[in-house]
Amino acid sequence: MNDPASIANSQADAVPAGCPFKAHGARPDTRVPGPVYRKPFWKPRLSEVRREIASLDARRDCQRIVHLLTNYEFPFDMQRANEIALFHTFGSRSVSTLLDRTGEFSKRGQKRYDDTRLLIAQYMECGWDVEAGRLSLEQMNHIHSFFRIPNEDFLFVLWTFIDFPIQWMDDFGWRAFTAHEREAWFHYWCEIGRRMGLKDIPEDRAAFDAYVRDYEAREFVPSEASHRVAQATVDILAGWVPRPLRPLVPPISLGLVPPRLLPAIQFEAPPAWVTGLTRAALKLRKHVKRYVSLERYPTPIEGSLNRTYPGNTYGIEHLGPEYAHRDAK
């Protein structure tokens, strides 16, 4: 079995088939090539960001487009969408059986959450040509190399990162992705998949959706492992709020996931009124965000809050389980 990390290393200096994004002499650290936008505090956002996105090529410049969407247009929404995407993967009995067997969720749930978020956020922010993004992708591949993971499971997880952010912006973002942004988003994640060693990635969104429908028909069945991993994740989320509010976390969280997930993870559907209020609150925020935004601009992963690494004192090569830690290069 090929080590996916070696695949990423071998491609590091090659021009990727889908999205070349060269640094043009910039120091290969966390700085992404291109202008940095600053807005006055009274403006919700700058139109210059959308104009740059529209001027870029959806294939060639997909890394830059994803950077702009993640750091400027939808920082909060992107994180929430990725959380729902990861939670949806627990519906697969194959994925959950592996996650449950590692014990990472039950023993070190918060650390597992933070490590995963930081790795994904780094290469969403930086792509694969900037060093922080490249190292994060290598570390993710290194962690996966300890397990025999079926290609179909990889494809299913990859699909969630394509589909859920698009759907979240349709429902709750201050605006939806444009067709141009959807195309760039798809090409970006397909190239991430190739750099993880995935095979037979569907060529377009419709084919990918059809593939996942067939996959879920086979794998979305009630599973104790799926329930345990999902419950551990809900417990992590509950730990983020004051104790009196913790009983609200499960119904609010479960009201945001696709209903088809609930039987697989063995959870009852939350009361309809809770789901209705949750979605109504997010839609109200959606309309307010069109005119008011107090988020940092840009909103980089550096300086973000996490519970495992106060002050973001971590090394990318040390994210993940202890057995997967590497020496810094």
Side-chain angles (χ1 to χ4, degrees):
M1 182 176 180
N2 293 330
D3 180 354
S6 65
I7 296 172
N9 282 329
S10 67
Q11 292 178 333
D13 297 324
V15 177
C19 315
F21 183 56
K22 289 301 178 184
H24 300 301
R27 185 167 64 89
D29 50 10
T30 61
R31 294 178 296 183
V32 177
V36 175
Y37 297 99
R38 307 289 183 185
K39 70 175 179 67
F41 73 90
W42 64 85
K43 285 189 175 183
R45 59 197 55 85
L46 294 179
S47 58
E48 288 90 335
V49 175
R50 292 189 70 182
R51 283 202 294 270
E52 185 189 346
I53 292 173
S55 73
L56 298 172
D57 184 89
R59 285 180 176 266
R60 184 191 65 233
D61 304 315
C62 64
Q63 292 177 89
R64 176 68 180 173
I65 293 173
V66 168
H67 168 80
L68 293 171
L69 293 174
T70 300
N71 280 50
Y72 291 92
E73 295 288 88
F74 308 105
F76 173 88
D77 297 276
M78 203 68 77
Q79 187 170 337
R80 303 288 83 77
N82 285 340
E83 289 168 352
I84 299 295
L86 283 170
F87 197 82
H88 188 74
T89 66
F90 304 154
S92 165
R93 60 181 169 183
S94 178
V95 171
S96 288
T97 296
L98 173 60
L99 294 174
D100 187 51
R101 191 168 71 241
T102 67
E104 290 294 311
F105 279 91
S106 59
K107 299 174 184 176
R108 293 169 288 275
Q110 184 62 59
K111 181 179 184 303
R112 203 277 183 183
Y113 169 87
D114 286 334
D115 288 351
T116 302
R117 181 184 72 84
L118 290 168
L119 287 170
I120 294 172
Q122 288 284 4
Y123 58 74
M124 286 182 67
E125 178 177 318
C126 301
W128 48 80
D129 285 332
V130 176
E131 186 175 33
R134 177 179 59 79
L135 290 176
S136 294
L137 188 54
E138 289 177 1
Q139 182 64 10
M140 183 76 77
N141 288 339
H142 179 64
I143 295 168
H144 289 158
S145 72
F146 288 86
F147 308 98
R148 296 184 63 85
I149 303 175
N151 189 66
E152 65 175 5
D153 287 359
F154 272 126
L155 288 174
F156 165 63
V157 174
L158 181 70
W159 172 86
T160 66
F161 287 101
I162 296 172
D163 183 78
F164 278 81
I166 292 174
Q167 187 60 52
W168 180 279
M169 302 315 160
D170 282 349
D171 292 341
F172 306 124
W174 67 271
R175 67 172 178 85
F177 279 9
T178 66
H180 177 67
E181 290 164 346
R182 290 173 184 238
E183 182 184 358
W185 191 257
F186 180 80
H187 289 307
Y188 170 86
W189 284 106
C190 287
E191 185 61 31
I192 289 290
R194 284 188 282 270
R195 287 169 175 268
M196 294 179 68
L198 276 62
K199 307 298 182 185
D200 303 319
I201 300 174
E203 294 184 359
D204 56 48
R205 179 78 186 281
F208 216 153
D209 289 347
Y211 176 90
V212 169
R213 282 195 297 271
D214 290 342
Y215 175 92
E216 290 187 357
R218 298 191 307 273
E219 293 295 334
F220 269 47
V221 296
S223 164
E224 290 297 326
S226 294
H227 178 76
R228 284 192 293 269
V229 175
Q231 183 64 62
T233 303
V234 171
D235 291 343
I236 294 169
L237 301 178
W240 297 352
V241 300
R243 189 174 296 276
L245 299 179
R246 290 177 185 176
L248 297 176
V249 171
I252 290 174
S253 302
L254 296 174
L256 293 174
V257 303
R260 67 184 186 276
L261 172 66
L262 297 177
I265 60 175
Q266 299 185 326
F267 276 94
E268 296 293 329
W273 67 269
V274 175
T275 299
L277 281 177
T278 301
R279 297 181 70 86
L282 287 169
K283 286 184 180 293
L284 176 61
R285 173 189 173 275
K286 164 183 180 173
H287 294 297
V288 171
K289 280 282 289 182
R290 291 176 181 170
Y291 308 102
V292 179
S293 178
L294 301 179
E295 290 176 314
R296 295 174 59 195
Y297 206 82
T299 307
I301 185 67
E302 181 182 1
S304 66
L305 297 177
N306 66 73
R307 291 163 176 77
T308 305
Y309 309 101
N312 283 288
T313 54
Y314 63 88
I316 291 173
E317 299 88 347
H318 292 161
L319 295 175
E322 286 189 9
Y323 57 76
H325 290 181
R326 300 181 297 157
D327 292 333
K329 296 181 180 178

